Amino acid sequence: MMQINLSRSFDCFDDLFDFLQAFFVKYDIPRTISFPVSLATEEIITNCIKYNPCGGDQIAVTLEHKGKYLELSIIDGGPAFNPEDAPKPDINLPLSERKAGGLGLFLARQIMDKIKYIYEDGKNIVILRKNLEP
Amino acid sequence: MFDISITDDGVVHLKGRLDAAQIEKAGNVLNHLNRSFTVDFTDLEYISSAGLSVFLVARQRMEGTDHRIRMINMNKDIRDIFRYAGMNQIFDIE
């Protein structure tokens, strides 16, 4: 398992992507897997940065190769903050009615195989799974 | 790393990773184009929903005009993300 602690700022993204890339190289993960895992990670962390200002200084990310799948956990502090409470976007709206934002978790759900949220010991934990085999 | 540039033929070229930390840089270029334009995705490796939003805002600025945004040379992963977000309906993706 690999872990990184990120600052609560978009400035952390270089560190995040370096961390992910090191994991993908270590385990020889193909782009068909690394792309969605990177995207889902960024989307969840972006939500933490934008909507959970009371989460503390750092956001922890762990990534683990579980044989048939990768398991990613994003651990944040603060009050319970269930990303699943966010309204689902309507992707068929006419141009003028569309809003920038609100797509992150929606996309993550489509490209990952499982997303689970738990609140435990004062921590928000989002666990995402990506299967390595079809 | 992310870079955005416009070549002499007016085509916008993207390079690297368009994530949430880079949208200001992208918006500073796209939001000053008051014409139809083509975006070449050949060298763009990655885009997130924040990156999609930059293009949505640029496209909304054009509403009511004949201007269009044409997108070329997207890789499959990026094309899929535009499709999942329903953005393939509002851009000319080739």
Side-chain angles (χ1 to χ4, degrees):
Chain A
M1 185 183 77
M2 290 173 62
Q3 174 167 347
I4 188 171
N5 293 320
L6 301 167
S7 60
R8 188 177 304 278
S9 154
F10 290 124
D11 293 340
C12 77
F13 278 10
D14 283 341
D15 292 340
L16 169 64
F17 284 97
D18 286 348
F19 163 77
L20 293 173
Q21 188 59 30
F23 181 93
F24 298 144
V25 169
K26 180 177 179 181
Y27 291 103
D28 196 22
I29 302 298
R31 183 177 160 86
T32 50
I33 302 294
S34 66
F35 186 96
V37 169
S38 300
L39 179 62
T41 311
E42 181 193 327
E43 301 295 356
I44 300 296
I45 290 175
T46 294
N47 283 350
C48 293
I49 294 170
K50 287 172 73 174
Y51 304 120
N52 190 26
C54 300
D57 291 337
Q58 294 196 313
I59 303 161
V61 179
T62 68
L63 189 51
E64 188 169 7
H65 196 302
K66 295 267 201 177
K68 290 187 175 178
Y69 60 91
L70 301 184
E71 187 170 275
L72 172 79
S73 297
I74 296 162
I75 303 146
D76 200 11
F81 173 70
N82 188 346
E84 297 185 35
D85 291 342
K88 290 186 174 56
D90 181 349
I91 62 165
N92 295 307
L93 287 173
L95 177 63
S96 61
E97 294 177 32
R98 294 193 185 215
K99 290 183 178 149
L103 282 169
L105 187 68
F106 177 78
L107 289 178
R109 281 192 189 293
Q110 295 189 69
I111 57 178
M112 299 298 278
D113 293 298
K114 189 175 181 184
I115 298 182
K116 185 169 79 173
Y117 168 80
I118 54 177
Y119 189 72
E120 194 174 81
D121 296 332
K123 296 201 179 298
N124 295 280
I125 306 171
V126 181
I127 302 167
L128 305 100
R129 178 182 292 187
K130 183 66 181 174
N131 294 336
L132 293 169
E133 298 166 8
Chain B
M1 192 279 291
F2 170 71
D3 195 28
I4 181 168
S5 60
I6 303 177
T7 44
D8 291 343
D9 57 3
V11 174
V12 177
H13 293 266
L14 308 175
K15 186 175 183 181
R17 196 181 69 229
L18 180 46
D19 59 39
Q22 305 296 337
I23 56 175
E24 187 175 345
K25 186 174 184 178
N28 283 344
V29 173
L30 297 176
N31 292 328
H32 289 91
L33 294 174
N34 294 309
R35 57 174 170 84
S36 293
F37 59 90
T38 296
V39 186
D40 187 344
F41 281 70
T42 300
D43 296 320
L44 193 73
E45 298 166 4
Y46 171 91
I47 194 168
S48 65
S49 69
L52 298 184
S53 295
V54 176
F55 288 105
L56 174 63
V57 170
R59 181 70 187 85
Q60 285 177 324
R61 284 182 58 251
M62 295 176 165
E63 199 165 29
T65 75
D66 293 333
H67 299 159
R68 292 286 181 272
I69 300 177
R70 175 174 166 251
M71 299 175 161
I72 60 172
N73 300 325
M74 276 184 192
N75 68 43
K76 181 183 180 304
D77 296 315
I78 292 176
R79 186 181 294 266
D80 284 347
I81 295 304
F82 271 82
R83 185 164 51 85
Y84 293 152
M87 297 277 188
N88 54 330
Q89 302 164 27
I90 58 173
F91 296 106
D92 301 325
I93 301 175
E94 297 177 10

